[in-house]
Amino acid sequence: MKTALTIAAEEWRYWIRSKLALAVIALFAVMLVSVSWVTVLRMQAASAELDHHQAEAEETFVAQPDRNPHRMVHYGHYVFRSPVPLASFDPGLDSVTGQAMFLEGHRQNSATFSASAASGDPGGLSWLTPALTYQVFAPLLLILLGHSAVVREREARVLPSLLAQGVSGRSLMAGKILALLVFILLLLVPLGVIALLAVTTGESLMAAAALVGVYFLYLSVWGGITVLLSSAFSKRSSVIAALAAFWLMVTLVLPSIAVNVASVTAPLAGKIEMELAMLTEQKDLSDGHSVSNSQVEQLSAELFQQYGVNRLEDLEINIRGLLAQKAEEKLTLAMNAYADKRMASELRQTELLTAQGWLTPMIAVAAASRAISGTDMQHYHRFLRQAEELRYDFVQDINQVHAEQLSYVDDINRNRDEESYNRSRVDAANWQLLDEFRFDTASASSRLASAGTPIGMLLFWLAVLFALLTWTGGRLKP
Amino acid sequence: MSNAVKLRADQLEIVRSGKKVLGGISFDVASGEVYALLGGNGAGKSTTLLGFLGLLPLSGGSIFVNDIEVGSDLKKVREAIAYLPESVSLYEHLDAYENLRYFLQLAGTPYDRSKVEAALDRVSLDLESRGRKLTGYSKGMRQKVAISLAILRDTEILLLDEPTSGLDPAAIDEFHDLVRDLASSGKTVLMVTHDVYGACQVADRIGLMQDGKLVGEFTAADGERIQTETVHRAFSDRHPKNPQVA
Ligand SMILES: Nc1ncnc2c1ncn2[C@@H]1O[C@H](COP(=O)(O)OP(=O)(O)OP(=O)(O)O)[C@@H](O)[C@H]1O
Ligand SMILES: [Mg+2]
């Protein structure tokens, strides 16, 4: 251990003397600061804008005048998903999944893109996020700095004297890795800062720390690979070629193959196909307005018995509101079944993609990073479910108002003349029933749990590398 | 036990890149003795030293350091040996002190500044150079630092591969004195050299190597004339003249 520390310290002295570490750190700092700056600003702007839209939509809804309740069901409402705190590090799927949704009775609309700063990308550079910088470019810097670790000693003929002096190959490799680990910690400082900023805007400390931890594991994998390949060749140029090829494979080639494999193996039914199928089924159900005669008869009978009357007009409650509730419930069950099916197939595709993290740590870290940040597929689904819950609640609440505050007689006569129509309105104070919408992430512990598999993959990579490094270290050639 | 055998090769065979480089050589060196290996390029001298360090696998025979079979306890063997490699292997970005400190630290030898100065005085490396990076050193200056490292290790055994290469005649004389002093303080020295007359001057025994074999062994008591003739034969036989040119 003492030997390893001595070697690690010497490696740092070499980096500092050769100005290499400094140049590499400066390069990374410039890149990361500019990327983070842009992303953080973009997310802040998006957040402010979407929160503003949300508040405005809520104000507009509750400010509606006295209206016929069913018209309010169709008037609808908007929800907006503003970015979660860690999205300023890893926006994940946010940029492709839409953040606005129109909620109305009898329909589940798709999420769309709000014309906001989050989707605006004048430079075409929004794909470059801090997360991607860490996933793709930080390894490159580790390679730049660490590729010569062992091969340099071999080329300078120092390796035989080191070994002859009783320095074991293992402690030599351990020292080089230790030096790189310290460098990795340094690379993680900006991420730490972004994570802490997220904590100040409501993120849990555990999730923020876990995110830093995951990237530490990932970059350690790269540190291990760099030293391993540096010890495997006798010429520096061969090491560089091998590392460059490996980097290309792991960060570019394999991930794009993986995405294709996932979408070919587990294709999603097209959104439109699925909606058509659903609409056909809905035709058989009802469109939310008309209910079947048998249903009307059954409900009327129940109500007559309950209230001890025998005419709809004499009921204290408006059966049309209750019927609307029943229709909405039935329709929603059917729509939810479709939505669940679609989400399940999207999840299957995501899982298939993540499974390929066994082949490239880049996919593993990307999956873990999105899961912990709250910007993965599951969180998109969480948004869809939260929006649907709000939609169902306000539609059914309005139907309840319809049943309780609008008399059956006024209701059926509403189209007779203007005065009748005015009698079919209910008090505007009722629109206060709308709940506020605020998209939030799952709890830190459940996000960590869903990052479990990709974290396991990273640990697997580390274990394999540890075994390989121990083995090569034990038989290091001078 | 001043005559204890410190280094022993017994029918030593080593294959490198599929070629038998050492074809069964046997010799031993006792404590307080200086043994020089002499021979033409590619005869297998450096390979022999690497064998004692356990840096190359043996394909036959056996090799002992301090009566320990080399492969059985590399750590102990390497602790007992200071090795001066054929080509200087020090760090260019460090000065003489930093190099010595680093390598001594790795070898587990305490760094003592006054001992370091004494060792550098002993190889007469000029004072002002000592604090400069090795990038600005001449070949001989580097060699001097490497020799001082070998002395500072203060081991029982020294394996020196062409220690005088790059040294000027005065430095060579000083080096020979140094080796004699080391031997008289009980150290065992096995050195490789191309310097026939130097070897006669400093070594107690000289082993003559040719094509991976030990073809002769002389003591300093042998007449210089015989040595010289035999040695000349060893150096020239491997390179028969091109008959057409002759
Ligand atoms: N790294 C190596 N890999 C494979 N073969 C080698 C290597 N180094 C030396 N050899 C071979 O081993 C043989 C002996 O080489 P060695 O270096 O021991 O010779 P030497 O006596 O020290 O020569 P010199 O006086 O030139 O230093 C040579 O034939 C050479 O071709
Ligand atoms: Mg040699």
Side-chain angles (χ1 to χ4, degrees):
Chain A
M1 191 59 204
K2 201 167 153 282
T3 310
L5 280 175
T6 308
I7 290 171
E10 178 49 40
E11 189 74 359
W12 266 93
R13 179 157 63 176
Y14 169 75
W15 289 340
I16 290 167
R17 293 242 168 126
S18 65
K19 315 260 188 314
L20 189 60
L22 223 62
V24 167
I25 289 173
L27 193 74
F28 189 67
V30 168
M31 182 160 184
L32 198 66
V33 164
S34 51
V35 168
S36 307
W37 183 257
V38 170
T39 313
V40 168
L41 286 186
R42 219 153 49 84
M43 289 302 145
Q44 274 177 358
S47 210
E49 202 169 332
L50 293 170
D51 285 350
H52 175 72
H53 283 326
Q54 189 65 63
E56 217 170 42
E58 278 157 10
E59 268 170 38
T60 314
F61 188 92
V62 301
Q64 289 304 301
D66 298 356
R67 275 187 192 281
N68 175 288
H70 198 73
R71 280 209 47 198
M72 253 338 246
V73 164
H74 283 285
Y75 181 79
H77 177 46
Y78 270 100
V79 287
F80 297 90
R81 170 174 60 135
S82 75
V84 297
L86 283 174
S88 52
F89 175 76
D90 189 353
L93 298 181
D94 283 12
S95 56
V96 290
T97 45
Q99 63 289 84
M101 195 189 281
F102 180 60
L103 309 181
E104 58 181 325
H106 332 316
R107 274 185 65 77
Q108 286 182 351
N109 293 310
S110 317
T112 55
F113 292 92
S114 142
S116 78
S119 53
D121 177 16
L125 274 174
S126 64
W127 59 273
L128 192 56
T129 62
L132 206 59
T133 310
Y134 271 100
Q135 290 162 16
V136 176
F137 296 105
L140 210 51
L141 298 184
L142 283 176
I143 290 174
L144 226 55
L145 198 63
H147 75 273
S148 73
V150 179
V151 78
R152 183 181 76 237
E153 313 270 4
R154 186 176 279 144
E155 277 191 333
R157 309 289 312 136
V158 183
L159 206 43
S161 356
L162 285 178
L163 295 176
Q165 276 209 317
V167 174
S168 72
R170 271 178 205 160
S171 44
L172 180 77
M173 310 265 276
K176 302 293 183 175
I177 285 176
L178 208 59
L180 276 179
L181 286 181
V182 173
F183 179 69
I184 288 172
L185 289 180
L186 222 63
L187 285 185
L188 288 174
V189 169
L191 167 53
V193 172
I194 298 178
L196 276 181
L197 280 178
V199 171
T200 65
T201 56
E203 185 50 271
S204 99
L205 190 61
M206 181 164 89
L211 190 67
V212 179
V214 159
Y215 279 91
F216 180 71
L217 293 183
Y218 174 66
L219 293 180
S220 301
V221 167
W222 275 105
I225 289 168
T226 307
V227 173
L228 184 68
L229 290 184
S230 180
S231 73
F233 298 92
S234 55
K235 279 211 220 95
R236 190 191 273 239
S237 51
S238 320
V239 173
I240 293 177
L243 280 169
F246 196 85
W247 178 81
L248 273 175
M249 279 308 278
V250 164
T251 61
L252 298 173
V253 179
L254 284 178
S256 72
I257 292 178
V259 169
N260 287 327
V261 167
S263 58
V264 168
T265 323
L268 297 179
K271 173 89 179 154
I272 294 179
E273 287 165 45
M274 213 142 172
E275 265 168 12
L276 284 177
M278 187 173 78
L279 283 177
T280 319
E281 196 173 304
Q282 277 175 27
K283 285 270 169 341
D284 305 336
L285 265 171
S286 80
D287 64 357
H289 294 111
S290 54
V291 274
S292 67
N293 286 332
S294 63
Q295 262 183 315
V296 178
E297 274 160 29
Q298 195 193 335
L299 186 61
S300 320
E302 280 170 27
L303 290 172
F304 290 157
Q305 183 163 9
Q306 190 184 341
Y307 289 94
V309 294
N310 49 22
R311 286 191 332 141
L312 289 173
E313 290 85 343
D314 296 340
L315 282 171
E316 279 167 43
I317 199 154
N318 182 351
I319 193 172
R320 291 170 59 96
L322 297 181
L323 287 171
Q325 269 185 340
K326 284 215 181 300
E328 188 71 35
E329 185 185 343
K330 210 163 171 185
L331 183 61
T332 301
L333 281 176
M335 292 192 296
N336 282 350
Y338 271 98
D340 284 346
K341 224 188 274 179
R342 182 169 172 86
M343 287 185 215
S345 78
E346 281 172 346
L347 278 185
R348 210 163 36 245
Q349 201 176 65
T350 306
E351 272 163 20
L352 216 76
L353 178 63
T354 306
Q356 297 176 79
W358 298 111
L359 300 179
T360 156
M362 155 99 178
I363 285 182
V365 76
S369 172
R370 281 198 292 262
I372 293 173
S373 301
T375 55
D376 57 351
M377 187 57 85
Q378 292 197 23
H379 277 82
Y380 173 57
H381 292 165
R382 185 182 170 84
F383 168 62
L384 298 183
R385 291 204 173 93
Q386 285 182 359
E388 169 55 22
E389 198 180 325
L390 184 81
R391 185 198 74 83
Y392 187 70
D393 280 355
F394 90 74
V395 169
Q396 294 299 57
D397 286 354
I398 291 175
N399 285 335
Q400 190 68 35
V401 167
H402 188 163
E404 288 169 357
Q405 300 190 17
L406 175 59
S407 78
Y408 180 71
V409 181
D410 288 344
D411 197 5
I412 53 173
N413 292 328
R414 69 181 182 280
N415 292 328
R416 187 176 290 167
D417 52 40
E418 197 181 333
E419 209 211 324
S420 308
Y421 185 75
N422 286 342
R423 263 204 306 279
S424 80
R425 296 172 192 259
V426 301
D427 186 22
N430 283 306
W431 314 147
Q432 301 290 338
L433 57 82
L434 183 74
D435 283 330
E436 276 187 11
F437 182 82
R438 180 141 306 277
F439 174 67
D440 62 359
T441 55
S443 72
S445 50
S446 80
R447 278 181 279 156
L448 271 184
S450 71
T453 311
I455 290 176
M457 290 167 177
L458 291 175
L459 291 173
F460 162 79
W461 271 86
L462 280 178
V464 169
L465 276 169
F466 183 78
L468 283 175
L469 284 164
T470 313
W471 186 71
T472 22
R475 30 173 303 156
L476 192 66
K477 292 266 187 330
Chain B
M1 284 251 304
S2 70
N3 283 345
V5 169
K6 289 287 180 179
L7 296 171
R8 185 151 70 88
D10 187 9
Q11 292 302 315
L12 174 61
E13 278 185 28
I14 289 182
V15 173
R16 296 182 86 168
S17 307
K19 183 184 156 208
K20 189 178 256 185
V21 168
L22 290 185
I25 62 168
S26 305
F27 69 100
D28 49 37
V29 190
S31 68
E33 194 179 17
V34 178
Y35 193 105
L37 283 175
L38 217 62
N41 294 128
K45 308 179 294 293
S46 301
T47 305
T48 309
L49 297 196
L50 293 177
F52 277 108
L53 288 162
L55 286 173
L56 293 174
L58 309 190
S59 54
S62 45
I63 193 161
F64 298 88
V65 170
N66 267 339
D67 283 333
I68 303 168
E69 167 121 47
V70 167
S72 70
D73 192 348
L74 280 178
K75 199 167 163 50
K76 221 165 181 177
V77 164
R78 289 172 181 174
E79 265 168 16
I81 298 177
Y83 167 57
L84 176 74
E86 188 165 13
S87 54
V88 177
S89 53
L90 297 164
Y91 291 110
E92 296 282 309
H93 64 285
L94 303 180
D95 65 26
Y97 300 119
E98 289 167 339
N99 264 299
L100 293 174
R101 182 195 284 269
Y102 178 59
F103 282 99
L104 289 175
Q105 213 174 350
L106 287 182
T109 316
Y111 180 86
D112 178 337
R113 181 66 180 240
S114 59
K115 278 190 190 164
V116 167
E117 295 289 8
L120 291 172
D121 288 343
R122 195 74 213 262
V123 295
S124 53
L125 182 73
D126 59 311
L127 268 171
E128 20 344 334
S129 300
R130 296 179 189 179
R132 283 197 292 128
K133 286 185 193 149
L134 260 64
T135 341
Y137 276 36
S138 71
K139 183 175 192 303
M141 287 160 78
R142 283 163 219 242
Q143 190 73 7
K144 287 175 175 176
V145 179
I147 293 170
S148 62
L149 174 60
I151 314 170
L152 283 164
R153 286 285 308 286
D154 196 23
T155 51
E156 299 169 77
I157 302 165
L158 290 98
L159 301 186
L160 311 174
D161 202 339
E162 300 184 31
T164 54
S165 96
L167 297 186
D168 61 42
I172 290 177
D173 276 346
E174 278 172 16
F175 174 75
H176 286 157
D177 289 345
L178 171 64
V179 170
R180 287 310 326 167
D181 285 354
L182 289 172
S184 53
S185 70
K187 310 250 183 216
T188 306
V189 180
L190 172 59
M191 59 186 274
V192 168
T193 182
H194 290 132
D195 174 5
V196 180
Y197 302 99
C200 294
Q201 220 182 314
V202 74
D204 298 303
R205 279 189 296 153
I206 298 169
L208 201 60
M209 283 191 76
Q210 196 180 333
D211 286 338
K213 294 216 167 60
L214 206 56
V215 293
E217 204 171 78
F218 308 93
T219 63
D222 289 330
E224 250 184 50
R225 196 185 54 81
I226 305 166
Q227 293 168 29
T228 314
E229 266 184 17
T230 323
V231 166
H232 271 206
R233 188 157 50 78
F235 276 114
S236 52
D237 271 7
R238 285 194 60 245
H239 308 288
K241 296 226 161 44
N242 186 330
Q244 301 208 310
V245 175

